[in-house]
């Protein structure tokens, strides 16, 4: 916790929901950073850190942890540290006392993770209790039905390494079985994978297919399992998937998710920052051109927003503003520099370092950015920052001879832990299960080899630059304001009854408002024109639509003792009930969901019926939570941000989006509170038990003072005509000044004065009113 200058201990700090599933009271940052110390040549500190780990870290904790995070961070960290300790001991430099203690700890942890694989399909549960496993009544887990593709498919490197280093084949066997199940469940026509799968029957729960969150490291581990273990089966599967990715998902320079059963349809118009790892994986595959293209697009996004937002649209606007110091962009930068030797990537790395120092460095570390638009810090520095970001940036700027070992003898796990490729020479721990030869795609130059710079671009050091230059001004940042005029294509939009914008959208054409682009982006460069890259001019009268405005909602506490005085600003959803169309909003008493994230079976469904339910953000999509809670009988849902310290005063409101599937079935109202506002609501519930709230648009806030209207009726009358009844009470008298007198007065002041009238209330002095229309010429 770099702002508080202390470590985060689970249970002692406010819960952040699923993010805390990576914390198991096992000194996460210490273990995740051990092999980083060796890479940085801090050998004495490494030896001291290993001693601390052996002395203080305990794994027999009654804590429910993420199987995926514990595997890549803790098991991977212990294995990487063991490999380094063994290397230093063999050299006689350090660690003379070491007797494989870290490997024994890794094996102990491996056995604590194995109960997660106790499912009918072989796909692991997403969580496990380190002491009680999954099915034990004391485990407080085992009710989950779903897991992400990456969660089930990112075990093979660590588990196989543990098997081959310890001689116990059980770990590799289980991890490989999970990969086999996933492979069998791929969509056979497209060879694509979904994002979330049922761990019991293998049915796909989310069918969107991309290369980002929820699926990313599945593809990474197929490729790297071949490199580490030497089994062609992994590479054959990777090549099959890779062909499908390049056919359907890759839309250079973008990587857009599609529907696995209908891959010609994009399921969303935004990308998440985790896909930034993919150019690095493409380098390992030898496919440099698309790697350079996507990496350059990501670099342009960082130029525009300082960092990669957690998600951004295909027009490069912020979709989710958080930046938790993710290392994937630095990872791909390192791999591209190794593959090309192009110093351009050193400059990219320099920009990463400078922005980290300028915008995230604080006295006790580096603080995550709550929103790239505001730059506000979050009291969070995840262990992957030290495990991955430090490694990749240090390696980027280091000469190979400066490193304490030959980096090419190792493969990086997804958490950048180092495992020796010599493990491929060890005896395979489980029987071979080859891929169906009929499914193997056509082989190319790099089907079975890593890229060679000499083969890729001999005597052509500008190869990468020529590719990058096509995407240099992708976001409009840095473009020269003087460009040649665009060639225009005219479309007869008046011939169709459809709205012009909708007509073009139906053709797959997306739009960027001209006001959002540099002036030069209206035109195309002449060389673009020759390549057939055109801007589209609409020959139709189309009103310019501003960017979709987020209508603020409120959660108003109306039961005693609040009585409407406590009002919390909330964000809306793009699905569910439209509160702006509900005259009186939606009223109900609030109840917390169990589990709080609502990502598994709802345990207190009876209690939720007829209530507005509180659920914590994270762990699964908003739409999935909403469906579960609606089925349980909720009449509304209030989602609360799990990011500590976030508030509507400091972070722009956003609209919650669906999961790529149709959301017409969700009919309850959904609102979103940032954590500070959420804390007020949960504190009220804890103190008063029964709390009634009203969900409605902010403009219809209950009890808000409305300005009183005063109706005034005028009639012209001669002096003395005033009725006696009209003289009662307050009166307003208008005295019309003669036009000639007014002009004369204006001439004396040196200006032409408009006609004026004065209003006099009973008992008051006359006050002038501006009168735009002159008085009639015959007026007195």
């Amino acid at each position: 916790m770099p702002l508080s200058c202390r470590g985060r201990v689970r249970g002692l700090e406010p819960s952040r929901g699923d993010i805390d599933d990576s914390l198991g009271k096992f000194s996460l940052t210490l273990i995740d950073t051990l092999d980083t110390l060796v890479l940085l040549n801090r050998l004495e500190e490494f030896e001291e850190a290993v001693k601390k780990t052996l002395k203080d870290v305990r794994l027999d904790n009654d804590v429910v942890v993420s199987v995926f995070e514990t595997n890549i961070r803790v098991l991977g960290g212990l294995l990487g540290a063991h490999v380094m300790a063994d290397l230093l001991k063999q050299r006689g430099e350090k660690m003379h006392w070491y007797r494989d203690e870290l490997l024994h700890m890794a094996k102990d942890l491996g056995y604590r993770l194995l109960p997660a694989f106790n499912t009918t399909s072989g796909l692991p549960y997403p969580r496990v209790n380190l002491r009680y496993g999954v099915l034990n009544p004391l485990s407080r887990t085992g009710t989950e039905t779903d897991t992400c593709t990456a969660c089930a498919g990112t075990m093979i490197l660590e588990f196989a390494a543990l098997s081959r280093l310890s001689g116990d084949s059980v770990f590799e066997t289980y991890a490989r079985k999970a990969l086999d199940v996933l492979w069998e469940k791929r969509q056979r026509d497209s060879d694509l994978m979904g994002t979330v799968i049922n761990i019991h029957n293998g049915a796909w729960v989310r069918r969107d297919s991309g290369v980002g969150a929820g699926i990313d490291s599945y593809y990474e581990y197929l490729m790297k399992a071949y490199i580490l273990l030497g089994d062609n089966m992994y590479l054959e599967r990777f090549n099959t998937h890779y062909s499908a990715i390049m056919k359907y998902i890759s839309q250079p320079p973008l990587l857009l998710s599609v529907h696995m059963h209908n891959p010609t349809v994009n399921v969303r118009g935004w990308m998440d920052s985790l896909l930034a790892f993919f150019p690095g994986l493409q380098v390992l595959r030898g496919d440099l051109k698309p790697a350079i293209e996507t990496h350059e697009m990501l670099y342009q996004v960082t130029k525009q927003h300082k960092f990669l937002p957690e998600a951004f649209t295909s027009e490069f606007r912020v979709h989710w503003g958080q930046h938790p110091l993710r290392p994937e962009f630095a990872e791909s930068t390192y791999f591209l520099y190794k593959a090309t030797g192009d110093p351009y990537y050193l400059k990219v790395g320099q920009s990463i370092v400078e922005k980290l120092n300028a915008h995230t460095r604080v006295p006790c570390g580096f603080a995550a950015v709550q929103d790239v638009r505001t730059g506000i810090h979050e009291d969070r520095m995840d262990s992957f920052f030290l495990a991955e970001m430090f490694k990749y940036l240090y390696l980027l700027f280091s000469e190979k001879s400066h490193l304490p070992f030959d980096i090419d003898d190792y493969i990086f796990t997804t958490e950048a832990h180092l495992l020796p490729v010599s493990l491929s020479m060890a005896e395979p721990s489980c029987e071979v299960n080859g891929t169906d030869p009929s499914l193997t795609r056509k082989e190319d130059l790099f089907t079975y080899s890593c890229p060679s710079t000499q083969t890729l671009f001999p005597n052509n050091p500008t190869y990468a630059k020529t590719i990058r230059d096509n995407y240099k001004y992708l976001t409009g940042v840095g473009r020269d304001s003087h460009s040649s005029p665009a060639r225009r294509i005219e479309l007869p939009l008046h011939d169709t009854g459809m709205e012009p914008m909708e007509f073009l959208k139906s053709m797959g054409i997306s739009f960027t408002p001209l006001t959002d682009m540099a002036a030069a982006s209206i035109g195309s460069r002449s060389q673009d024109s020759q390549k057939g890259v055109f801007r589209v001019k609409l020959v139709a009268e189309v009103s310019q639509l501003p960017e979709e405005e987020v209508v603020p909602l409120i959660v108003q506490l109306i039961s005693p003792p609040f009585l409407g005085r406590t009002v919390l600003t909330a964000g809306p959803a793009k699905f569910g009930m439209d509160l702006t169309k509900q005259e009186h909003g939606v009223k109900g008493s609030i109840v917390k969901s169990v589990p709080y994230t609502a990502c598994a079976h709802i345990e207190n469904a009876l209690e939720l019926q007829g209530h507005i339910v509180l659920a914590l953000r994270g762990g699964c999509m908003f739409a999935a939570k909403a469906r579960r809670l609606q089925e349980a009988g909720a009449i509304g849902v209030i989602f609360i941000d799990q990011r500590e310290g976030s508030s509507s005063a400091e972070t722009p409101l956003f609209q919650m989006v669906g999961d790529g599937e149709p959301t017409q079935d969700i009919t309850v109202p959904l609102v979103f509170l940032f954590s500070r506002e959420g804390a007020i609501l949960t504190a009220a519930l804890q103190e008063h038990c029964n709390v009634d709230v009203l969900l409605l648009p902010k403009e219809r806030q209950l009890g808000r003072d409305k300005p009183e209207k005063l109706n005034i009726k005028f009639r012209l009358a001669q002096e003395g005509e005033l009725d006696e009844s009209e003289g009662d009470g307050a009166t307003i008298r208008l005295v019309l000044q003669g036009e000639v007198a007014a002009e004369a007065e204006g001439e004396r002041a040196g200006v032409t004065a408009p006609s004026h009238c004065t209003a006099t209330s009973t008992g008051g002095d006359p006050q002038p009113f501006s009168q735009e229309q002159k008085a009639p010429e015959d007026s007195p």
Side-chain angles (χ1 to χ4, degrees):
M1 300 172 67
L3 302 182
S4 304
C5 291
R6 65 176 187 270
R8 181 178 294 277
V9 180
R10 191 169 179 180
L12 298 185
E13 304 292 338
S15 172
R16 301 174 300 169
D18 294 342
I19 297 177
D20 286 342
D21 284 349
S22 59
L23 306 178
K25 296 184 178 179
F26 38 37
S27 300
L28 175 64
T29 300
L30 173 65
I31 293 176
D32 212 3
T33 314
L34 289 173
D35 57 1
T36 302
L37 291 170
V38 179
L39 187 72
L40 300 180
N41 219 8
R42 301 293 186 95
L43 303 186
E44 291 184 3
E45 291 179 46
F46 170 71
E47 187 164 7
E48 191 62 32
V50 171
K51 290 178 180 177
K52 285 182 180 178
T53 301
L54 300 178
K55 174 176 174 289
D56 297 329
V57 175
R58 295 293 176 268
L59 298 173
D60 183 32
N61 302 319
D62 181 12
V63 179
V64 176
V65 296
S66 162
V67 174
F68 168 78
E69 296 289 355
T70 305
N71 173 63
I72 65 172
R73 299 201 204 186
V74 186
L75 182 58
L78 291 171
L79 291 171
H82 163 70
V83 169
M84 294 293 106
D86 194 48
L87 174 70
L88 295 175
K89 180 184 177 182
Q90 289 179 23
R91 288 182 179 176
E93 299 176 10
K94 296 282 180 183
M95 309 296 292
H96 306 288
W97 52 269
Y98 183 67
R99 298 293 182 272
D100 295 344
E101 289 90 346
L102 292 173
L103 179 59
H104 298 317
M105 280 187 72
K107 190 174 180 181
D108 179 18
L109 181 59
Y111 276 116
R112 294 179 186 277
L113 295 179
L114 278 183
F117 290 84
N118 189 13
T119 61
T120 53
S121 68
L123 297 172
Y125 281 96
R127 297 175 184 84
V128 67
N129 186 300
L130 289 175
R131 178 177 295 170
Y132 297 113
V134 172
L135 301 180
N136 188 303
L138 299 175
S139 68
R140 304 189 309 283
T141 189
T143 59
E144 302 92 344
T145 58
D146 310 333
T147 193
C148 70
T149 305
C151 301
T154 310
M155 308 291 291
I156 189 64
L157 292 191
E158 292 82 3
F159 269 42
L162 179 57
S163 282
R164 299 193 182 200
L165 290 169
S166 68
D168 191 339
S169 65
V170 64
F171 307 107
E172 184 171 353
T173 301
Y174 275 107
R176 184 160 175 160
K177 172 68 184 307
L179 281 178
D180 290 343
V181 174
L182 290 173
W183 171 252
E184 287 301 317
K185 295 299 178 180
R186 74 192 184 284
Q187 214 292 319
R188 299 302 177 101
D189 293 331
S190 66
D191 288 320
L192 292 174
M193 306 289 285
T195 307
V196 176
I197 193 169
N198 185 294
I199 58 176
H200 301 299
N201 60 26
W204 289 107
V205 178
R206 277 184 53 195
R207 297 171 180 84
D208 50 313
S209 185
V211 294
I215 197 170
D216 47 359
S217 48
Y218 164 71
Y219 296 128
E220 177 186 4
Y221 268 37
L222 284 178
M223 180 66 177
K224 290 183 175 179
Y226 164 68
I227 298 172
L228 181 69
L229 307 175
D231 188 335
N232 283 355
M233 177 269 292
Y234 296 115
L235 186 60
E236 289 163 0
R237 293 181 182 180
F238 173 80
N239 284 334
T240 300
H241 286 314
Y242 187 73
S243 296
I245 290 169
M246 299 310 292
K247 182 177 180 180
Y248 299 115
I249 296 170
S250 176
Q251 302 172 37
L254 310 180
L255 291 163
L256 294 173
S257 294
V258 299
H259 196 289
M260 64 183 292
H261 297 300
N262 187 7
T264 59
V265 176
N266 291 337
V267 296
R268 62 178 70 100
W270 50 269
M271 296 163 279
D272 65 75
S273 62
L274 285 170
L275 60 74
F277 90 101
F278 198 68
L281 186 61
Q282 289 178 307
V283 169
L284 290 183
R285 175 62 174 73
D287 205 355
L288 264 287
K289 184 175 184 293
I292 292 168
E293 290 172 331
T294 298
H295 179 274
E296 183 62 21
M297 176 271 291
L298 296 168
Y299 183 40
Q300 296 301 322
V301 173
T302 66
K303 281 184 173 181
Q304 185 171 352
H305 302 296
K306 295 188 181 71
F307 302 101
L308 276 184
E310 195 72 333
F312 53 93
T313 69
S314 53
E315 288 83 27
F316 313 113
R317 295 193 186 95
V318 173
H319 186 69
W320 297 332
Q322 306 99 307
H323 176 71
L325 306 177
R326 293 205 185 277
E328 286 78 12
F329 179 62
E331 174 186 356
S332 288
T333 303
Y334 163 67
F335 278 112
L336 273 168
Y337 179 64
K338 283 209 72 173
T340 64
D342 190 334
Y344 175 84
Y345 295 108
L346 293 178
K347 294 180 181 178
V348 175
Q350 181 182 353
S351 76
I352 297 173
V353 172
E354 289 173 349
K355 287 171 182 174
L356 286 171
N357 281 326
H359 303 293
T360 71
R361 191 159 192 162
V362 293
C364 293
F366 292 79
V369 178
Q370 192 176 102
D371 195 301
V372 296
R373 291 164 291 194
T374 63
I376 295 172
H377 286 150
E378 194 173 348
D379 199 7
R380 170 184 178 186
M381 186 180 81
D382 286 89
S383 66
F384 54 66
F385 182 72
L386 298 177
E388 299 183 68
M389 183 76 86
F390 269 35
K391 278 197 189 86
Y392 290 125
L393 290 176
Y394 184 79
L395 286 168
L396 178 63
F397 296 107
S398 298
E399 295 295 333
K400 197 173 178 180
S401 58
H402 295 164
L403 301 177
F405 52 85
D406 187 348
I407 195 69
D408 292 335
D409 289 341
Y410 298 85
I411 188 76
F412 289 103
T413 69
T414 196
E415 190 75 6
H417 293 304
L418 295 158
L419 298 176
V421 293
S422 59
L423 287 177
S424 62
M425 306 300 291
E427 285 295 320
S429 302
C430 53
E431 61 186 45
V432 173
N433 178 20
T435 305
D436 183 350
S438 65
L439 296 173
T440 305
R441 293 297 183 262
K442 181 180 178 182
E443 296 180 4
D444 60 29
L445 181 63
F446 300 113
T447 298
Y448 294 103
S449 67
C450 291
S452 158
T453 53
Q454 291 303 310
T455 307
L456 286 171
F457 28 85
N459 304 316
N460 185 9
T462 63
Y463 174 84
K465 183 178 185 301
T466 58
I467 298 172
R468 286 195 306 267
D469 283 351
N470 291 322
Y471 304 98
K472 195 173 182 180
Y473 304 117
L474 197 62
T475 63
V477 176
R479 183 189 288 274
D480 184 2
S481 60
H482 301 290
S483 295
S484 58
R487 293 175 60 180
R488 302 184 183 275
I489 302 173
E490 299 192 356
L491 301 174
L493 297 179
H494 56 274
D495 291 344
T496 176
M498 295 178 66
E499 290 294 329
M501 299 288 280
E502 295 305 316
F503 172 72
L504 288 175
K505 285 180 181 176
S506 71
M507 297 167 58
I509 298 174
S510 59
F511 298 89
T512 303
L514 296 181
T515 53
D516 289 356
M517 302 172 68
S521 65
I522 300 173
S524 303
R525 293 173 296 166
S526 57
Q527 67 182 60
D528 285 344
S529 299
Q530 295 169 3
K531 293 178 182 177
V533 180
F534 306 118
R535 303 286 175 184
V536 176
K537 174 188 177 185
L538 297 183
V539 187
E541 194 169 322
V542 183
S543 59
Q544 187 171 354
L545 296 174
E547 192 170 342
E548 190 172 358
E549 185 179 356
V550 177
V551 177
L553 306 175
I554 58 169
V555 177
Q556 190 166 16
L557 282 66
I558 57 176
S559 55
F562 308 102
L563 301 176
R565 291 187 293 269
T566 301
V567 180
L568 309 173
T569 301
K574 287 191 174 183
F575 56 98
M577 180 187 293
D578 186 352
L579 286 169
T580 63
K581 297 178 180 177
Q582 305 298 314
E583 185 177 356
H584 303 295
V586 173
K587 175 186 173 184
S589 57
I590 57 175
V591 177
K592 265 189 180 182
S593 169
V594 179
Y596 197 15
T597 59
C599 288
H601 172 71
I602 305 301
E603 298 174 14
N604 61 336
L606 289 176
E607 185 184 355
L608 302 187
Q609 290 181 10
H611 292 77
I612 294 174
V613 180
L614 307 185
L616 194 67
R617 179 186 186 182
C620 59
M621 302 293 283
F622 289 120
K625 298 172 188 279
R627 285 191 185 94
R628 283 194 186 92
L629 295 172
Q630 180 175 281
E631 289 171 5
I635 62 170
V637 182
I638 301 172
F639 295 111
I640 297 176
D641 195 6
Q642 84 279 28
R643 295 176 301 124
E644 195 177 326
S646 65
S647 73
S648 60
E650 299 174 343
T651 307
L653 289 177
F654 65 91
Q655 286 183 296
M656 295 179 284
V657 296
D659 55 4
E661 301 290 331
T663 53
Q664 293 89 336
D665 58 315
I666 302 174
T667 57
V668 296
L670 312 168
V671 303
F672 178 85
L673 291 178
F674 288 105
S675 65
R676 287 184 188 171
E677 287 84 351
I680 294 171
L681 190 60
T682 54
L685 179 61
Q686 186 173 356
E687 184 176 354
H688 300 285
C689 296
N690 294 318
V691 177
D692 292 340
V693 299
L694 190 62
L695 311 180
L696 72 167
K698 195 168 188 176
E699 61 183 15
R700 297 184 197 159
Q701 178 180 326
L702 195 66
R704 173 181 280 183
D705 293 335
K706 296 181 179 178
E708 293 185 6
K709 293 182 179 179
L710 178 65
N711 294 318
I712 302 176
K713 182 163 63 175
F714 290 101
R715 74 177 180 85
L716 293 175
Q718 296 290 340
E719 270 193 76
E721 282 187 6
L722 193 65
D723 293 343
E724 290 184 7
S725 61
E726 291 175 338
D728 296 340
T731 62
I732 295 177
R733 184 178 62 177
L734 301 182
V735 180
L736 301 183
Q737 189 173 352
E739 186 178 353
V740 176
E743 289 179 355
E745 188 176 333
E747 287 172 2
R748 285 194 298 274
V751 297
T752 302
S755 298
H756 284 76
C757 60
T758 58
T760 307
S761 60
T762 303
D765 297 325
Q767 298 294 330
F769 281 102
S770 174
Q771 180 179 298
E772 295 180 359
Q773 291 183 329
K774 293 184 178 180
E777 291 183 5
D778 59 348
S779 65

